[in-house]
Amino acid sequence: MSTDTHTPTPAPAPVRATAPGGPVREDARTEPERPAAPRPAAKAPAPRPARAAAATALRLLRSGLLRSAAVLLLLAVWEGAPRAGLVDATFLPPVSEVARAWWELLGDGQLWEHTRASLTRSFGGFAIAVVIAVPLGLLIGWYRPVAAFLGPLLELFRNTAALALLPVFVLLLGIGETSKVSIVVYACVWPILLNTISAVGNADPTLVRLARSMDLSTPKLFQKVILPSSVPSIFTGIRLAGAVSILVLVAAEMIGAKAGLGYLINASQFNFAIPQMYAGIVTISAIGVAFNQVLVTIERRLSLWRLPAS
């Protein structure tokens, strides 16, 4: 009788896993290590609105003080010099007395009446000069035969002072409003006209040739090339004319006028009302500054194409 002998098959050895730094553990499954998730970057703290507003206000205040420092220094000297006896207070009263006289003139309506009369004449003559001088300057600057024909006449009259012709305007037009507005027109025409002629003559010839090569008509050429490049120079003449319109008018109002800031200054001098005289002068200066700022703002609006894109 035979006996079959079976050799038992050895069981598979258990999988051993070794933990780092620890004993060997059986029947432990090994898993691949997962990389740690990156931490989100810390966000920069947003600026506080109150702090940003305070910084902006401080910057504007500093800029305003820097711009007005010279004016404040002038007012301080004007107030202190008469009180210290450095100048005669009869002929140069302190600025506080001038301010008091200005307020009294404003309260009784005299200042507004004289200012309205002067502004009507000045701005009326200035507007007429702009309407005449800008188109005429474009015409003379563009067409050489017209420039050659009118050149000697322009040179003759541009060197004749407006106030030198004031008696002529009074004799021909009388002492009414017409002569005063006409002298303002005459004085304002020349800065605008000469700057417009120069602006057209100094237009970029490369741009002009390029526009002509594209078969642009003359009106389109003026609209697309000549006028945009001429705006800064034209407005320089307009700003000069704005200052001239006020200065010439004041001189004209001192002769044969019954209202206006020039009349107020002249009458105050004759009546020895010196604070009122200086009040009229200060009003003229303030009007000139405000008018110039208005023209600067208009020029910037019309010259936005020259600013680099942000």
Side-chain angles (χ1 to χ4, degrees):
M1 183 174 183
S2 61
T3 305
D4 294 335
T5 311
H6 296 283
T7 305
T9 303
V15 180
R16 297 171 179 256
T18 305
V24 177
R25 295 180 300 137
E26 294 185 359
D27 299 333
R29 297 181 181 179
T30 59
E31 296 181 358
E33 296 184 359
R34 297 179 180 179
R39 295 180 179 179
K43 296 182 179 180
R48 297 179 179 177
R51 184 179 302 176
T56 303
L58 182 61
R59 184 170 60 253
L60 293 177
L61 179 61
R62 187 180 305 170
S63 176
L65 289 177
L66 181 62
R67 292 182 178 182
S68 59
V71 177
L72 295 176
L73 179 61
L74 174 63
L75 295 178
V77 172
W78 189 355
E79 179 69 24
R83 297 189 181 280
L86 299 179
V87 295
D88 192 349
T90 304
F91 303 106
L92 183 63
V95 68
S96 57
E97 294 186 11
V98 175
R100 189 181 305 113
W102 187 90
W103 186 255
E104 292 175 357
L105 290 173
L106 182 64
D108 59 16
Q110 293 186 51
L111 186 64
W112 168 242
E113 178 185 354
H114 293 301
T115 302
R116 182 179 58 183
S118 293
L119 291 181
T120 302
R121 297 163 183 159
S122 179
F123 290 170
F126 172 79
I128 295 173
V130 171
V131 171
I132 293 175
V134 172
L136 185 60
L138 295 174
L139 181 66
I140 295 174
W142 184 252
Y143 293 104
R144 298 296 178 86
V146 178
F149 176 71
L150 296 178
L153 196 62
L154 296 179
E155 290 296 327
L156 175 63
F157 282 101
R158 65 174 289 192
N159 293 301
T160 305
L163 294 179
L165 295 176
L166 180 58
V168 178
F169 280 93
V170 172
L171 289 175
L172 296 178
L173 303 175
I175 61 174
E177 299 297 316
T178 306
S179 61
K180 296 176 180 59
V181 175
S182 299
I183 194 68
V184 172
V185 173
Y186 177 84
C188 293
V189 157
W190 301 109
I192 304 173
L193 179 65
L194 297 177
N195 278 273
T196 304
I197 294 173
S198 176
V200 175
N202 293 330
D204 192 349
T206 304
L207 293 179
V208 175
R209 287 195 299 267
L210 180 61
R212 289 186 180 279
S213 67
M214 299 174 64
D215 295 332
L216 288 181
S217 61
T218 301
K220 285 290 185 181
L221 179 62
F222 267 91
Q223 180 184 357
K224 300 295 184 180
V225 179
I226 302 299
L227 286 179
S229 63
S230 302
V231 164
S233 182
I234 292 175
F235 262 88
T236 299
I238 290 177
R239 290 170 59 188
L240 291 174
V244 169
S245 67
I246 298 174
L247 299 178
V248 172
L249 176 65
V250 170
E253 287 178 340
M254 293 181 177
I255 302 176
K258 296 182 179 180
L261 293 174
Y263 168 79
L264 173 64
I265 294 171
N266 200 34
S268 300
Q269 179 191 7
F270 280 118
N271 296 328
F272 214 71
I274 304 302
Q276 285 81 358
M277 182 189 73
Y278 282 104
I281 296 173
V282 170
T283 304
I284 291 173
S285 300
I287 291 173
V289 172
F291 191 27
N292 182 71
Q293 289 301 316
V294 170
L295 294 177
V296 169
T297 303
I298 296 175
E299 178 185 1
R300 289 176 179 173
R301 297 241 177 203
L302 296 179
S303 302
L304 290 178
W305 62 273
R306 302 177 67 238
L307 300 177
S310 58

